[in-house]
Amino acid sequence: MSRFFRSGQDSESESDLSSSSSGSEFSDDEHQQQRPTVASGANKFARAAFDSDSDSDADVKRVVKSPKEKHMEEVDKLSRGILKAIRANKWQVASEDFDKLGAAVPKLVKALKGESLPSVFIRCLAKLEDSTVAGGLAKEELAKLSASDARSFNKLKQRMRKHNKAYTKQIAEYRANPVESEEEEEARAPSGVPSDSEEEQAVPSLKQRASGKSAVAAAESGSESDDSYWGTGSEVSSSESDESDDERRGRVGFSRWLKKEPAKDEGGAKEEGGAKKARKDKTQRVAVVAATAAEGAEDDDGFATVGKGGKVVQKPVVTAETLNKNLAAISDARGRKSTNKKEMIQMLDTLLGVAANPLQRCKVLMALISAQFDNSASGSYMPLDQWSRAQDTINELLSTLEENRQISIYETADVHEDDSDVTYTNEPITLRGSVIAFIDRLDDEFTRSLQSIDPHTPDYIERMRDSVPLYVTIVRAQSYFERNNIKDSLCRVVLRRLEHLYYRTDQVNHHVEEAASRLPGSAAPDVGGTAATIQRLCSFLYDNAEPLLRIRAMLMHIFNHALHKRYYVARDLLLMSHIQENAQHLDVNTQVLYNRALAQLGLAAFRIGKIQESFEHTVELMSSGHQRELLAQGIGQQRTQQLSSAEEHLQRQRQLPFHININLELLECVFLTSSMLIEIPAVASANTNPEAPRAPISRVFRRMLDFNERQVFLGPPENTRDHIMASAKALASGDWVASRDYIQAIKIWSLLPDFQEIKDMLANKIQIEALRTYLFTYSTQFEAVGLEDLSAMFGLTRNRVYALLARMVYQGELQASLDEVSGVLAFSRANFEVSSRLQQTALTLSNKANAFADINERVFELKINGGQPPGDRQQGGEQGGRGQGQGDRDGRPNYQRGSGGGGGRDGQRNQNYSRKDGGGNRTPMRGGRRGGNNQQGRGGRQ
């Protein structure tokens, strides 16, 4: 340890001596040359640390900033960036900076502690409001914006109306004196953030340094700070003389202009060589990445890409002649792990700019679309900006094909590798590619994004706005396939178009078709409206598509007919297609579509008053308990089994977007209402008619009704189920007014377009079923009932009551006859003999008493046989007899037959328990007293 401290002191003394002897005659560089270059032990690290600290202090002046200053600088920088983006009409950049500004301003407000916000922020808000809400952009300027900038502009326009309410006072003060506010902004601007003029002055000097100009030229540019930094002329010349041009060119960035360090001996070079090489390689890699990212920038004058070894890498010359070679290289690099996908897209954008003719343009566009889809992550949906760029690229490809009809793209065409396409002269040519694959991927990514976005947020509505442009792209692709007669692709794109139409109403589809008809070269809308359009598309698929596509087209057609109350047409299509016979053998997505068609059929039947048909269409779906999974509208709670992560992921992938879903609460309400109107009269008929089937028609409804009746206390109905159960109980008692009021009080009927007609239809159905229930329940209490009384009681006309009673009598539901002259319904006497409620109760009691007596006899027989069944005892006579009817040793009696046959002590007690007299009645045969001697000997007496 003494040697360590001594070496440090010696070095310090030597440095002091050299510094004192040199005085002012030596410069800093000469002073460094006099220092020893080789150190040992801890002295080497101490001196290296000292030298590095001194160099860093000399080169970079460190400033410690408070959180307030940091937040001020961040807000100032973002505000200025937004102002520049507004002037350049770069609304996407302005929107992104505005989002960052919204996160930074609360931190600044907390740090300011009541002080006023910077004026540049207020000026930014005022400028945004003037540019979006107040004046906005003219139609010509909006038309010039790209799709992403236009969406960002509309997004900012919507947000500014609400955002600026909190800063109304500050914005008003700025508008009153905008010049003064700008001067305050310049005065209060943070020191670390340069102004616009300073940035413009700083850019040329930085470019001069990076492009390799001498420090003298930079000093002559008029910056005093550069003079102090680079030194005077003598120092510059001396440093340049010590370093050759080749050595300076090997450096990167600002390091090529720094003064050369004094040469060290071999020992120091060996020890520090590895660290220097690592730092050098890292600096080169950073420079290469920065140069690569800057290739797509607009202003890259004076910058050069630095490659391995610090040498300047020349950019590849991209021309129309070398376009095919570059495309081949990009195609070979596609899919490799080390490929930079963003650089590939930038290179393809460059190739698109140098394309000399439509043929080259189509080649580059197809490669660019594939690269854009490859750039998205496979685990989630494609980002919205990337999806928009991919859609724009597909539209550009379709436009090129529409303008140059001699060029066609087929999946089975030969690969075109001719390098002479620079001299292409518009002759017919076929390229290898798949436009339908691009359309499918674009539509799938759109659906996947809707599955991932929360449907209850504004983002979902914002995303839904892209559905119409996507539909227009699909229609354009259909026109291209029809023009080139590509049948397979045409069938697939027609099915995609149907998937965007079948679940919408005619009013919505009318506006969508109008937007598509305005395209150049598109056909006019069908005369019959969207119904005729869907009919034409489905008919085409029926004639030309493969079986699976035909089935899907048929189910979509059925769904659309049912959606518009064309129930009979939809039902006939389903029955004639026989899809229900092979539905279990279809794929999962087609089965989901089949379930959706059945559910919509049930809703359509209910809307037109077909209660029985509606129940039959929905009973299987609603009785399963897995409505969400069967309709692909979510994942229900699994009580019996737990889904694995893979199965849950598959089910989530099959889910439909929220705007396509069928309302499950509405579907359940329709099913339970139909079940009530069918089940309640059936229950009443089963109680009075012993021949009527007693099995429940709807087990789900019967289970809910039984549970509701077992409740001790029932409050007023709250949800849909409570209203239906209360209505069912009122209907069972014949109170049709209360039943109607409970049903019409359900709020979910308002979701149907013709809900008032449905309420009137339900009121009429409840009146009819209440009359039928009343007749089934009280038919045994009356000999006859008048038609006028029934008409007044249930609010129906006399003719309607007569027709209803005639049908019930004809179908055998009532044992009665109609007297048309007297206007009464006379019940048959046979109905009273078996259907009286008192008689039914008495018969039930008698049956239960008989069953109880039989059970008591069996128990008694087991007891007297010692716990064994009667058949296990041996028959009498095997043990010998002791006279007629010898009793047991313990005094238990022997029961004898009427013929007086003898038996042993193990005689047949079961058979001798009773005898039949002449009238067939059973009379017990008693033996001796239990536990005592029989006075008449061992035999029993009859």
Side-chain angles (χ1 to χ4, degrees), residues 194-243:
S195 62
D196 298 343
S197 60
E198 291 176 354
E199 289 178 357
E200 293 174 358
Q201 293 176 2
V203 169
S205 61
L206 291 176
K207 291 183 178 180
Q208 290 172 2
R209 297 174 191 173
S211 60
K213 294 182 180 180
S214 63
V216 176
E220 293 175 355
S221 63
S223 176
E224 295 180 0
S225 60
D226 293 343
D227 293 341
S228 62
Y229 181 82
W230 300 114
T232 58
S234 61
E235 294 173 350
V236 172
S237 61
S238 62
S239 63
E240 288 182 349
S241 62
D242 295 338
E243 184 179 10

Side-chain angles (χ1 to χ4, degrees), residues 68 72 76 112 115-119 183-191:
K68 175 181 175 181
M72 286 280 288
D76 189 284
L112 289 176
E115 299 180 14
S116 60
L117 292 170
S119 59
E183 293 176 355
E184 290 178 0
E185 172 198 341
E186 298 294 336
R188 295 183 55 185
S191 59

Side-chain angles (χ1 to χ4, degrees), residues 379-428:
S380 61
Y381 64 93
M382 193 173 183
L384 303 186
D385 54 344
Q386 296 183 16
W387 187 90
S388 300
R389 287 196 292 269
Q391 184 189 19
D392 295 339
T393 310
I394 293 176
N395 288 331
E396 188 175 356
L397 175 62
L398 293 174
S399 300
T400 305
L401 294 174
E402 290 169 359
E403 296 171 358
N404 304 272
R405 300 195 174 186
Q406 72 279 3
I407 302 176
S408 56
I409 300 175
Y410 288 88
E411 296 180 357
T412 58
D414 297 333
V415 180
H416 186 269
E417 297 180 352
D418 191 3
D419 295 338
S420 62
D421 54 4
V422 181
T423 60
Y424 175 70
T425 56
N426 297 331
E427 63 271 9

Side-chain angles (χ1 to χ4, degrees), residues 6 33 38 177 227 327 577 579 652 667 677 733 744 819:
R6 183 171 59 254
Q33 292 177 0
V38 181
N177 190 8
D227 293 341
L327 278 180
S577 62
I579 299 176
R652 293 192 183 279
L667 187 62
L677 295 176
S733 62
Q744 291 185 351
D819 190 350

Side-chain angles (χ1 to χ4, degrees), residues 167-408:
Y167 307 98
T168 306
K169 183 178 179 181
Q170 294 89 331
I171 294 175
E173 292 177 356
Y174 167 75
R175 296 185 188 279
N177 190 8
V179 179
E180 181 180 354
S181 298
E182 292 182 5
E183 293 176 355
E184 290 178 0
E185 172 198 341
E186 298 294 336
R188 295 183 55 185
S191 59
V193 181
S195 62
D196 298 343
S197 60
E198 291 176 354
E199 289 178 357
E200 293 174 358
Q201 293 176 2
V203 169
S205 61
L206 291 176
K207 291 183 178 180
Q208 290 172 2
R209 297 174 191 173
S211 60
K213 294 182 180 180
S214 63
V216 176
E220 293 175 355
S221 63
S223 176
E224 295 180 0
S225 60
D226 293 343
D227 293 341
S228 62
Y229 181 82
W230 300 114
T232 58
S234 61
E235 294 173 350
V236 172
S237 61
S238 62
S239 63
E240 288 182 349
S241 62
D242 295 338
E243 184 179 10
S244 63
D245 293 337
D246 295 335
E247 292 174 348
R248 186 188 303 118
R249 193 178 297 109
R251 300 188 186 182
V252 180
F254 288 110
S255 62
R256 69 176 64 180
W257 300 109
L258 298 178
K259 296 180 180 180
K260 182 180 179 182
E261 295 181 359
K264 299 182 180 180
D265 57 2
E266 297 178 357
K270 290 181 180 180
E271 292 177 357
E272 300 181 2
K276 288 179 62 179
K277 184 176 181 181
R279 288 195 300 269
K280 182 177 180 181
D281 294 341
K282 181 178 180 181
T283 306
Q284 291 173 356
R285 288 196 299 270
V286 172
V288 170
V289 173
T292 304
E295 283 181 3
E298 296 178 358
D299 292 330
D300 57 350
D301 298 334
F303 291 92
T305 304
V306 181
K308 187 176 181 181
K311 297 181 180 181
V312 177
V313 178
Q314 298 293 336
K315 292 183 180 180
V317 179
V318 179
T319 60
E321 289 77 9
T322 61
L323 186 140
N324 285 334
K325 294 182 180 179
N326 292 324
L327 278 180
I330 291 174
S331 178
D332 293 339
R334 182 186 176 190
R336 295 182 182 176
K337 187 176 181 180
S338 59
T339 303
N340 191 332
K341 298 178 181 179
K342 293 183 179 179
E343 291 183 0
M344 183 185 297
I345 294 175
Q346 293 176 0
M347 187 62 184
L348 288 171
D349 288 333
T350 305
L351 293 176
L352 185 61
V354 301
N357 49 55
L359 178 60
Q360 290 186 342
R361 193 171 185 83
C362 289
K363 288 183 177 180
V364 178
L365 285 174
M366 287 191 293
L368 181 58
I369 294 170
S370 301
Q372 287 172 343
F373 283 131
D374 292 343
N375 192 27
S376 62
S378 58
S380 61
Y381 64 93
M382 193 173 183
L384 303 186
D385 54 344
Q386 296 183 16
W387 187 90
S388 300
R389 287 196 292 269
Q391 184 189 19
D392 295 339
T393 310
I394 293 176
N395 288 331
E396 188 175 356
L397 175 62
L398 293 174
S399 300
T400 305
L401 294 174
E402 290 169 359
E403 296 171 358
N404 304 272
R405 300 195 174 186
Q406 72 279 3
I407 302 176
S408 56

